[in-house]
Amino acid sequence: MSHSAIESVAFDTNNGRKSFVLPGAKPHYNPDRPGQVEHIALDLVLNIPEQSYSGTCSIRICPVRDGVDRLTLDAVNLQIDSVQVEDVEQPFDYDGERLQVRLKQPTEAGQPIMLVIAYRVEKPQRGLYFIAPTTDYPQKSVEVWTQGEDEDSRFWFPCFDYPGQLATSEIRVRVPRQYLALSNGELIDTQTAGDDKIYHWYQKQVHPSYLMTLAVGDFAELQDEWNGKPVTYYVEKGREADARRTMGKTPQMIQFFSETFGYDYPFPKYAQVCVEDFIFGGMENTSTTLLTDRCLLDERAALDNRSSESLVAHELAHQWFGDLVVIKHWSHAWIKEGMATYSEVLWTTHEYGADEAAYYRLETARSYFSEDATRYRRPIVTHIYREAIELYDRHLYEKGACVYHMIRAELGDELFFRAIHTFVNDNAHRTVETIDLLRAIDQATGRNLQPLFDQYVFRGGHPDYKIAYGWDGDSNLAKLTVTQTQAQEGNGLDSGLFDLRVTIGFGYIDESSSEKSASIKPFTVRIHEREQTFYFPLAEKPQFVSFDLGNHLLKTVTLEYPIAELKAQLQHDPDPVSRIYAAEALAKKGGLEAVKALAQAMQSDSFWGVRAEAADQLASVKLDQAFEELVKGLEDPEARVRRSVVNALAQIKRIGSYRALKKLAEAGDPSYYVEAAALSALGTVAAGKLEGKSKEEKVLKLYRSVLQERAGWNETVRSGVILGLSKLKTSEAALDLILEYTAAGIPQALRLAAIRALGAISTGQNNVNLERILNRLDELSRESFFLTQVSTSIALGQMETVKAIGILSALADQTPDGRVRRLAEEAIERVQKAVKQDQAVQKLQEELDQLKKDNQELKSRLETLEAKAK
């Protein structure tokens, strides 16, 4: 599964971080098994106009013991008509969540029984979704699609709904004949029945209930193939070119992952279906991935959007990690989600080279660091939560991916891939836990990586290194002092210390070659105390120092090197990530020399990622020269660098920035993203007075015209305007415009951006307008669409008024979605904190005013006394 459009707490509350564990969390375990589910067959008739369906679910189960006289199935909000075993009616109890079947004939071990449940569902809330045109959105397609992960299959058919049970499956479904119906496995039969068509799909490899899927719609079908197996893409008619552009590399990816994982693609076909209003980015249902239609690229989006290609790679990698090798329990989901995310890195290396992959990995790590710093810290593997979906966070995906990379760095490529091949081959069509990965590594390589897992998987956190460097010219020694700033005092297990082997490289620049290439002398040291000093004997003074050569460890670094070493590193270190760390350290030092070095990197580094980061760092140096150099970056041929320059200019609130951004915003840019960033940045810069004048009116005029004229791909450009409006915090006109775009009927992506923007603009509005915002968010919080609820929670969480808390509490109580509940509760905490700070500031202000008043009184009494004394 790939995370949805959510923006863009485990027991350790290390470093004052919030706990992952919220009130109501408890340990979760798989239930006892009455037997092995062998086969699940659904036979359904869809009534699409009525948004309902009916049919039977047949489950063949082979009991593991004698005398089982009741079976408990997961079944939520279904209407159960009857339960039979071998044509004999069975008594049952149903409470709306669990179906308890009382077997007339208790089981015999090893003698399979067939349970046949007749049931109906009207307007399902989860599990199976009916998409249809509405009065607000008349252009919507008619579609039906399912989403099972984590535990939502129980909302659309009765099942033993946990990942530990693997069975074969089949789905027969009757739909109006104009629609295609797609499901797992192979299409073994289609029949026409009056105005309807019956599709019969059969999945002959075992898989868990959460991966069973159904997708129905009037799709265009595009065909490819890999090794004779069909590779198909299904999209809304008219978007065939976008489908090829977005998914066209799938056959090459199947070849690449078959080789990488040491196991040929295991299923009879691979289909990707792009559906409307999907609640995730993508979902890896066995052999039939569902993707959001928002991932489809037009020609202009393809310029600088790699995320769709990564999404395609991510869901495809799951066919091995997740579908072929299945997790036994949700707490081990990092095995699949971490590898699917790391597969994005592997594919990036294969397709775009090592520099691109190194930068992709850095961005992956940053995504995790951000959650760790602002939301909570947790072990990757934990079975204590309220709902399994809470685990689907940046620890699971991004930190999980970084752990796979560390395993690879520790073993080296040959042994790493040998271990992965062993793991996949030994566990194909079976369930696994984290210990199985450790065992496969041990079996294939003889290495015991338990220490790494104990530090990075079974507890929270990562090392934060501060590195100071000096050179002793008399004795030719390099001195490095490394501090683990995350660690508490003491060296025990609970101190948060990491014990790792780290390679340190000393760089020498070959002045004789025209390229000025660098050679690096490596040393490996063990870093395991809070502070350690190392001395390295070197023949001559190095020009730069590369800490953690190759940057394989998941860590943060603060470099305390002299400016000369940082400049040399920024220019000559072969690793782009090390160059980026040098840029960050230079910017902190500030001064003209740093500006010159960063400007040179922004203009001439061979890799766009370093140019983009140098631009970002330039903006943080508060010197006029920084601005002059930055503007030159708007000419960079790489859109992703221009975007970084635009965002950097937004931090420099002066008339020059305003002019440069306005020119770009008016003229547009080949890239949607650069154009959107310029429009948004304009609001940031215009929010203050520039040379004593307000530019608000001019910016609002431009914004209005863009909102009217530049509708387009995924509403990227107009969403940039909405973001810009939200920066004009005191403007009532800006608020009026944002409110207008929260109306039903506004394209989904733009409407969601407007809803989120209400939170950002609220902090500068007067009380009357604050009420308008709260009333609108209160209305929106009652809508049932998942993404609307997410955006409403995000907006309310940015507010600084107690009244937001009531709306959030009601949303948390009423939503059926665990992710929304969690977001709403975290938002409540943020608002409470903001309100408290606000009240504390107010109290201080009142005390100050009182002091001033008291002082005034004292002063006047003194003056009166002095006057009397004269």
Side-chain angles (χ1 to χ4, degrees):
M1 182 158 64
S2 164
H3 15 286
S4 74
I6 294 184
E7 297 302 315
S8 6
V9 164
F11 289 120
D12 50 28
T13 45
N14 309 8
N15 304 8
R17 282 173 175 77
K18 282 202 205 77
S19 168
F20 168 71
V21 178
L22 288 180
K26 61 181 201 295
H28 287 260
Y29 306 95
N30 280 343
D32 290 338
R33 281 184 315 133
Q36 179 58 47
V37 177
E38 292 180 341
H39 187 68
I40 302 171
L42 301 180
D43 194 341
L44 305 175
V45 178
L46 296 190
N47 183 339
I48 293 176
E50 294 294 316
Q51 305 206 337
S52 68
Y53 62 96
S54 61
T56 57
C57 169
S58 308
I59 300 175
R60 188 171 75 238
I61 182 165
C62 185
V64 284
R65 53 186 183 271
D66 291 339
V68 174
D69 60 0
R70 61 184 51 211
L71 296 172
T72 305
L73 287 87
D74 300 297
V76 184
N77 299 344
L78 310 177
Q79 298 181 1
I80 309 292
D81 292 331
S82 68
V83 180
Q84 295 186 337
V85 173
E86 320 302 341
D87 298 331
V88 177
E89 294 276 339
Q90 306 288 315
F92 64 88
D93 300 308
Y94 180 53
D95 62 3
E97 287 195 7
R98 299 265 186 284
L99 172 62
Q100 277 226 328
V101 181
R102 299 198 300 279
L103 296 173
K104 286 183 173 172
Q105 182 83 41
T107 61
E108 285 177 52
Q111 294 295 310
I113 60 170
M114 179 71 87
L115 205 58
V116 180
I117 303 158
Y119 74 110
R120 288 168 293 135
V121 184
E122 281 164 33
K123 297 206 162 44
Q125 290 303 294
R126 303 174 73 69
L128 186 141
Y129 298 78
F130 286 95
I131 309 299
T134 60
T135 43
D136 292 321
Y137 296 98
Q139 77 294 354
K140 258 194 192 174
S141 308
V142 171
E143 289 178 358
V144 182
W145 47 260
T146 61
Q147 170 55 34
E149 193 172 16
D150 56 337
E151 295 176 346
D152 282 2
S153 282
R154 61 188 66 184
F155 286 85
W156 74 280
F157 63 95
C159 52
F160 295 94
D161 196 13
Y162 60 97
Q165 280 277 15
L166 305 186
T168 55
S169 69
E170 66 185 298
I171 297 184
R172 273 185 89 228
V173 62
R174 180 169 174 155
V175 296
R177 65 151 60 145
Q178 69 266 38
Y179 301 117
L180 280 172
L182 310 160
S183 185
N184 316 93
E186 293 166 280
L187 184 62
I188 56 171
D189 188 33
T190 50
Q191 293 170 356
T192 305
D195 290 339
D196 292 344
K197 211 166 175 186
I198 298 168
Y199 289 84
H200 189 173
W201 291 88
Y202 197 97
Q203 164 72 32
K204 66 171 187 281
Q205 291 100 343
V206 294
H207 63 156
S209 57
Y210 80 85
L211 291 174
M212 285 177 63
T213 192
L214 178 62
V216 177
D218 182 16
F219 301 115
E221 178 184 52
L222 290 86
Q223 295 183 330
D224 250 338
E225 61 114 40
W226 173 81
N227 276 10
K229 289 184 177 184
V231 174
T232 44
Y233 319 122
Y234 296 91
V235 292
E236 188 191 341
K237 287 176 174 168
R239 301 206 67 179
E240 290 85 347
D242 295 353
R244 285 261 174 230
R245 198 175 288 116
T246 310
M247 298 176 277
K249 292 182 181 177
T250 305
Q252 294 97 291
M253 287 181 181
I254 296 179
Q255 181 62 33
F256 172 70
F257 289 130
S258 292
E259 290 167 10
T260 302
F261 300 143
Y263 197 105
D264 273 359
Y265 176 76
F267 303 111
K269 64 138 193 310
Y270 188 55
Q272 291 168 94
V273 193
C274 295
V275 297
E276 270 196 68
D277 285 355
F278 197 52
I279 58 174
F280 289 99
M283 180 64 216
E284 69 278 10
N285 306 303
T286 319
S287 82
T288 310
T289 285
L290 299 195
L291 299 167
T292 168
D293 62 355
R294 296 190 303 278
C295 78
L296 289 167
L297 303 176
D298 70 9
E299 221 166 327
R300 193 174 153 200
L303 272 183
D304 54 345
N305 176 318
R306 289 266 180 81
S307 58
S308 289
E309 188 171 322
S310 294
L311 172 66
V312 169
H314 179 105
E315 302 307 339
L316 174 61
H318 268 314
Q319 299 296 319
W320 287 263
F321 277 77
D323 299 10
L324 173 67
V325 176
V326 185
I327 52 165
K328 186 175 274 181
H329 187 264
W330 302 119
S331 52
H332 300 282
W334 82 277
I335 293 173
K336 73 186 185 75
E337 294 302 346
M339 179 51 93
T341 306
Y342 188 50
S343 295
E344 300 170 31
V345 176
L346 294 171
W347 174 253
T348 300
T349 314
H350 173 78
E351 195 69 355
Y352 301 105
D355 280 5
E356 293 270 0
Y359 189 51
Y360 199 102
R361 229 175 55 235
L362 174 66
E363 293 282 60
T364 300
R366 283 171 171 172
S367 176
Y368 149 70
F369 291 141
S370 157
E371 177 172 270
D372 176 77
T374 61
R375 268 188 99 187
Y376 50 70
R377 164 172 288 184
R378 71 175 184 87
I380 296 180
V381 172
T382 173
H383 63 296
I384 298 166
Y385 48 80
R386 288 188 310 191
E387 296 183 50
I389 202 70
E390 293 183 331
L391 297 171
Y392 285 73
D393 61 2
R394 311 288 61 88
H395 281 70
L396 198 74
Y397 290 76
E398 283 83 349
K399 187 180 186 187
C402 294
V403 169
Y404 271 112
H405 185 75
M406 284 190 290
I407 297 170
R408 179 179 173 183
E410 181 61 37
L411 298 175
D413 277 12
E414 191 197 336
L415 292 183
F416 172 72
F417 288 109
R418 184 190 298 171
I420 292 297
H421 296 180
T422 300
F423 180 64
V424 173
N425 281 278
D426 286 2
N427 296 292
H429 308 297
R430 291 166 58 178
T431 60
V432 295
E433 297 167 281
T434 302
I435 188 72
D436 296 303
L437 181 58
L438 274 167
R439 284 183 182 135
I441 292 167
D442 176 30
Q443 188 191 327
T445 70
R447 295 287 309 277
N448 178 10
L449 293 197
Q450 186 83 41
L452 181 71
F453 279 54
D454 279 350
Q455 294 181 83
Y456 276 100
V457 178
F458 297 117
R459 73 166 189 193
H462 54 267
D464 299 312
Y465 294 116
K466 187 174 80 183
I467 306 118
Y469 162 78
W471 173 255
D472 178 347
D474 296 336
S475 45
N476 276 11
L477 285 177
K479 176 187 177 187
L480 219 61
T481 301
V482 182
T483 313
Q484 295 195 44
T485 59
Q486 85 287 348
Q488 317 300 320
E489 287 310 318
N491 278 344
L493 268 178
D494 52 358
S495 64
L497 276 172
F498 280 74
D499 181 347
L500 298 165
R501 289 165 60 76
V502 181
T503 302
I504 291 154
F506 294 97
Y508 294 91
I509 300 156
D510 180 3
E511 297 288 351
S512 61
S513 80
S514 57
E515 290 294 299
K516 285 203 171 177
S517 58
S519 61
I520 290 184
K521 191 170 171 51
F523 293 85
T524 300
V525 296
R526 177 181 171 211
I527 300 178
H528 59 104
E529 291 166 25
R530 188 176 153 76
E531 189 177 290
Q532 281 166 277
T533 299
F534 303 95
Y535 294 91
F536 302 93
L538 296 166
E540 53 183 321
K541 183 183 179 183
Q543 272 89 22
F544 64 87
V545 185
S546 214
F547 179 83
D548 180 24
L549 201 57
N551 285 298
H552 299 303
L553 296 176
L554 179 61
K555 62 178 186 305
T556 66
V557 294
T558 304
L559 305 180
E560 299 191 338
Y561 302 169
I563 204 156
E565 274 74 3
L566 289 172
K567 279 169 62 182
Q569 180 157 28
L570 176 57
Q571 245 187 309
H572 300 290
D573 195 309
D575 182 349
V577 177
S578 291
R579 303 206 290 279
I580 288 163
Y581 288 153
E584 287 170 2
L586 274 168
K588 278 202 187 75
K589 287 203 185 287
L592 206 49
E593 216 176 330
V595 168
K596 281 184 179 156
L598 289 166
Q600 188 191 355
M602 183 193 78
Q603 285 181 7
S604 59
D605 197 283
S606 58
F607 177 53
W608 70 267
V610 177
R611 301 202 300 278
E613 297 273 339
D616 187 36
Q617 295 303 329
L618 256 180
S620 66
V621 184
K622 302 292 177 243
L623 285 177
D624 290 353
Q625 288 88 342
F627 167 74
E628 287 152 20
E629 294 294 349
L630 247 182
V631 177
K632 297 176 186 168
L634 289 173
E635 304 301 314
D636 198 292
E638 170 58 61
R640 289 168 291 186
V641 177
R642 296 199 299 279
R643 185 162 148 198
S644 186
V645 171
V646 164
N647 291 331
L649 284 170
Q651 299 170 47
I652 304 177
K653 297 170 181 59
R654 55 199 293 180
I655 195 73
S657 303
Y658 170 77
R659 287 187 184 130
L661 290 167
K662 187 156 190 278
K663 189 176 157 196
L664 179 53
E666 285 172 341
D669 186 274
S671 156
Y672 289 121
Y673 295 107
V674 175
E675 193 170 317
L679 286 158
S680 156
L682 202 52
T684 310
V685 174
K689 283 201 161 52
L690 298 167
E691 296 185 342
K693 293 196 200 101
S694 167
K695 297 290 183 190
E696 230 167 67
E697 276 313 307
K698 285 186 169 168
V699 170
L700 279 166
K701 189 180 166 207
L702 172 65
Y703 280 173
R704 285 194 182 95
S705 78
V706 173
L707 285 170
Q708 277 155 16
E709 292 157 21
R710 296 196 210 169
W713 180 79
N714 278 2
E715 291 297 347
T716 303
V717 172
R718 292 203 294 176
S719 296
V721 169
I722 297 287
L723 195 56
L725 284 166
S726 75
K727 306 287 172 52
L728 305 174
K729 288 185 188 296
T730 54
S731 161
E732 184 165 353
L735 172 63
D736 291 342
L737 260 179
I738 292 173
L739 279 165
E740 201 180 304
Y741 281 88
T742 64
I746 297 290
Q748 200 76 265
L750 185 58
R751 182 175 191 238
L752 296 171
I755 294 169
R756 289 193 295 272
L758 287 176
I761 201 168
S762 70
T763 52
Q765 297 288 325
N766 63 29
N767 285 343
V768 176
N769 283 337
L770 210 51
E771 284 301 319
R772 292 171 65 202
I773 293 172
L774 285 162
N775 289 337
R776 184 65 186 123
L777 287 170
D778 189 24
E779 289 165 9
L780 289 160
S781 73
R782 297 164 204 278
E783 291 188 18
S784 61
F785 183 45
F786 166 70
L787 293 177
T788 309
Q789 293 189 348
V790 167
S791 294
T792 305
S793 303
I794 290 169
L796 286 160
Q798 294 172 33
M799 297 185 75
E800 293 169 4
T801 163
V802 179
K803 292 178 177 173
I805 295 174
I807 305 172
L808 282 163
S809 301
L811 179 56
D813 290 344
Q814 287 154 19
T815 180
D817 193 285
R819 289 167 299 170
V820 174
R821 188 170 308 116
R822 171 144 212 147
L823 279 173
E825 288 175 6
E826 288 176 356
I828 290 171
E829 278 183 34
R830 268 199 303 279
V831 175
Q832 282 169 337
K833 205 166 161 190
V835 170
K836 268 197 199 122
Q837 280 171 338
D838 204 33
Q839 286 165 344
V841 169
Q842 218 171 332
K843 194 160 182 268
L844 270 174
Q845 195 58 51
E846 283 164 14
E847 285 168 5
L848 266 173
D849 291 346
Q850 191 57 45
L851 268 172
K852 279 184 188 160
K853 209 168 136 193
D854 294 350
N855 274 340
Q856 274 311 114
E857 282 173 13
L858 274 171
K859 216 169 157 188
S860 53
R861 275 164 64 191
L862 264 172
E863 282 166 0
T864 318
L865 279 170
E866 280 169 356
K868 278 186 180 168
K870 278 181 181 160

